[in-house]
């Protein structure tokens, strides 16, 4: 099993040099001097340990400007792998991710309604498997966890889906695996992924609506994550939207999640199909089937998804009117419903917010697909351990 190499990229200048090479490499030491405004001897001193720990490599020669041709430097993509975990789903997912956000290996283990210590056991099993498959030294473990997550202490305050209350998950994993561990709410790390890996210019004011097994919003305002007190910002899934409504796992009734989550949509479709055709229609057991039926125009599924879209659109409208983001991005399983579902959301937001709000906000689907939480989870390590924030070169106010 590869052990974590000694990497201490903690000083500002260290991080500046490494992130400059990461963003702009391959480039020469002289170009780093030019970009960072550090002196040539300082850059040389800072590059040497990066070469020694194998984070950076020399990759040939650049063009000469009169003297010797300069040696070019670049970050080695696979120099370290990061373990990313997405615990906000029915299946716990994990992946080995390289320094450029490429998924090298992934695995998922079904939760099968297990909670408490049994659910914790699945986390251990998943990490053991990932460690065994890693061919590079590990930088650490990044986690996107459901519910109220205190990212400063690594304690999950409350995650109703798995019945975790005050679980010091980061400390447990740090002790067990001897690796740095960073953790935040799954929706917040989805926002971090979108901020870090989105292929266009970073949007300073961004809301990511992560809608699947649970529903939540990850919020970035002026490039800073908004956690709230006590880490509950964006918990739109547990706001009551109908009274009394169906019971919710949080103990309340009529929460947004009881109407809009993949579970809720599946249950509603199943009930209606049973009722409408006296059980003669084929069983719908997975959300992928819902997506296919929605796109093929199945009237019953369209009715349920339309209603869900209007409830979610109303929640987004409230979020938009309070925060004024320039971009709202949908991620999670519901994003597989595609553009027609976005149109339902846009219509509802527009109806509730009125002009001119809709002229300033883009509503779209994340391009990062089902790996968004894994990527965001790993991006925490890039930021905290190496000082690399790919989108803006500045630190996120994380944790
Ligand atoms: Zn609830």
């Amino acid at each position: 099993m590869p052990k974590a190499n000694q990497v201490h990229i903690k000083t500002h200048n260290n991080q500046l040099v490494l992130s400059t090479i990461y963003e702009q490499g391959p480039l020469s030491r002289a170009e780093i001097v030019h970009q960072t405004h550090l002196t040539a001897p300082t850059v040389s001193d800072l590059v040497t340990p990066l070469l020694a720990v194998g984070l950076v490599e020399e990759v040939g020669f650049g063009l000469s400007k009169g003297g010797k041709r300069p040696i070019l430097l670049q970050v080695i993509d696979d120099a370290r792998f990061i373990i990313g975990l997405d615990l906000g789903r029915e299946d716990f997912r994990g992946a080995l991710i390289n320094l450029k956000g490429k998924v090298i290996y992934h695995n998922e283990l079904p939760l099968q309604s297990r909670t408490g210590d049994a659910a914790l056991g699945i986390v251990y099993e998943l990490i053991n498997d990932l460690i065994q498959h890693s061919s590079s030294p590990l930088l650490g473990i990044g986690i996107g966890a459901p519910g109220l997550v205190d990212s400063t202490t690594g304690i999950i305050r409350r995650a109703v889906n798995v019945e975790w209350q005050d679980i010091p998950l980061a400390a447990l994993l740090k002790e067990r695996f001897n690796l740095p561990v960073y953790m935040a709410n799954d929706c917040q790390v989805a926002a971090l992924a979108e901020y870090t890996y989105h292929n266009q210019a970073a949007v300073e004011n961004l809301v990511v609506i992560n809608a699947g097994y649970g529903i939540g919003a990850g919020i970035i305002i002026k490039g800073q994550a908004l956690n709230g007190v006590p880490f509950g910002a964006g918990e739109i899934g547990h706001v009551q939207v109908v009274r009394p409504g169906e019971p919710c796992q949080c103990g309340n009734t009529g929460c947004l999640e009881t109407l809009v989550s993949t579970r809720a949509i599946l249950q509603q479709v199943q009930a209606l199909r049973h009722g409408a055709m006296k059980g003669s229609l084929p069983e719908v057991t997975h959300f992928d089937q819902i997506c296919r039926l929605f796109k093929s125009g199945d009237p019953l599924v369209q009715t349920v998804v339309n209603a869900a879209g209007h409830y979610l659109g109303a929640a987004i409208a409230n979020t938009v009117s309070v925060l004024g983001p320039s971009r709202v991005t949908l991620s999670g399983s519901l994003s597989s419903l595609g553009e027609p579902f976005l149109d339902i959301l846009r219509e509802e937001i527009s109806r509730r917010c009125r002009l001119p709000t809709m002229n300033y906000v883009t509503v779209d689907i994340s391009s990062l697909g089902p790996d968004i939480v894994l990527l965001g989870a790993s991006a925490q390590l890039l930021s905290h351990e190496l000082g690399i924030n790919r989108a803006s070169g500045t630190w996120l106010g994380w944790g």
Side-chain angles (χ1 to χ4, degrees):
M1 157 188 153
K3 275 193 73 75
N5 278 21
Q6 293 296 309
V7 189
H8 296 291
I9 315 295
K10 296 293 184 190
T11 71
H12 174 75
N13 286 350
N14 244 314
Q15 291 170 359
L16 185 60
V17 168
L18 180 60
S19 56
T20 303
I21 301 171
Y22 183 93
E23 296 290 332
Q24 299 173 45
L27 79 177
S28 68
R29 288 169 176 79
E31 286 168 318
I32 299 170
V33 168
H34 178 72
Q35 293 288 335
T36 60
H37 305 294
L38 297 170
T39 66
T42 302
V43 166
S44 191
D45 286 349
L46 292 170
V47 164
T48 301
L50 295 176
L51 289 164
V53 297
L55 275 173
V56 166
E57 62 184 344
E58 294 180 337
V59 285
F61 296 92
L63 294 174
S64 166
K65 288 181 181 167
K68 279 198 304 183
R69 292 176 67 194
I71 297 169
L72 299 179
L73 300 159
Q74 74 177 18
V75 168
I76 304 169
D77 293 1
D78 292 342
R80 302 289 185 279
F81 289 161
I82 301 166
I83 289 179
L85 298 182
D86 176 1
L87 307 183
R89 308 163 51 97
E90 284 175 274
D91 298 334
F92 280 177
R93 294 186 82 218
L96 292 169
I97 296 162
N98 78 4
L99 296 179
K100 290 294 174 77
K102 181 182 174 193
V103 173
I104 303 296
Y105 167 81
H106 77 90
N107 193 6
E108 52 188 66
L109 294 174
L111 198 51
Q112 291 173 329
S113 305
R114 280 173 284 191
T115 56
D117 285 347
L120 200 55
I122 301 174
V123 176
Y124 296 152
E125 198 182 324
L126 196 52
I127 295 174
N128 275 324
D129 176 69
L130 294 165
I131 288 173
Q132 278 167 17
H133 281 86
S134 181
S135 55
S136 286
L138 292 163
L139 193 60
I141 300 170
I143 304 168
L148 296 179
V149 179
D150 182 340
S151 52
T152 58
T153 59
I155 294 174
I156 296 183
R157 292 290 174 206
R158 189 161 185 238
V160 291
N161 291 355
V162 281
E163 294 178 16
W164 284 344
Q165 182 126 16
D166 295 323
I167 299 282
L169 186 61
L172 290 171
L173 299 181
K174 218 175 273 181
E175 192 182 322
R176 197 176 185 99
F177 298 104
N178 194 26
L179 287 167
V181 181
Y182 296 95
M183 185 168 69
N185 171 272
D186 53 350
C187 302
Q188 291 287 17
V189 302
L192 176 61
E194 199 57 44
Y195 191 78
T196 306
Y197 292 118
H198 186 58
N199 52 14
Q200 290 164 19
V203 172
E204 291 270 283
N205 298 313
L206 166 74
V207 173
V208 172
I209 304 292
N210 197 38
Y213 192 62
I215 311 279
I219 302 160
I220 289 177
I221 298 294
K222 290 191 173 175
Q224 302 283 312
L226 185 72
N227 286 322
V229 179
F231 300 93
E235 278 283 296
I236 59 172
H238 292 289
V239 174
Q240 189 182 52
V241 291
V242 289
R243 291 179 72 181
E246 296 293 320
C248 181
Q249 286 177 306
C250 70
N252 204 346
T253 60
C255 295
L256 186 66
E257 276 193 16
T258 66
L259 297 157
V260 179
S261 64
T262 51
R263 283 169 294 165
I265 291 174
L266 256 177
Q267 278 167 10
Q268 290 168 58
V269 168
Q270 284 165 349
L272 282 176
R273 280 168 80 93
H274 278 293
M277 304 298 285
K278 296 190 169 52
S280 63
L281 284 172
E283 195 76 31
V284 174
T285 54
H286 202 275
F287 194 72
D288 288 347
Q289 293 167 276
I290 300 276
C291 293
R292 281 196 293 276
L293 288 166
F294 177 66
K295 286 171 187 170
S296 70
D298 181 285
L300 192 149
V301 169
Q302 290 214 323
T303 302
V304 173
V305 170
N306 259 298
H310 285 294
Y311 280 116
L312 185 58
I316 297 172
N318 290 332
T319 310
V320 165
S321 67
V322 172
L323 297 170
S326 49
R327 186 164 163 239
V328 175
T329 296
L330 183 67
S331 67
S333 300
L334 263 68
S335 65
S336 302
L337 292 165
E339 202 60 31
F341 186 64
L342 274 195
D343 286 339
I344 302 169
L345 299 182
R346 289 188 188 113
E347 183 193 318
E348 192 64 31
I349 299 165
S350 180
R351 196 171 68 79
R352 288 174 183 262
C353 287
R354 308 278 172 126
L355 291 170
T357 305
M358 284 305 288
N359 292 342
Y360 293 95
V361 59
T362 302
V363 181
D364 61 11
I365 288 175
S366 170
S367 59
L368 300 177
D371 291 333
I372 186 168
V373 172
L374 294 173
L375 290 171
S378 73
Q380 295 175 99
L381 272 294
L382 284 183
S383 177
H384 286 297
E385 289 294 303
L386 302 181
I388 293 169
N389 186 316
R390 192 168 172 176
S392 65
T394 57
W395 278 83
L396 269 182
W398 213 261

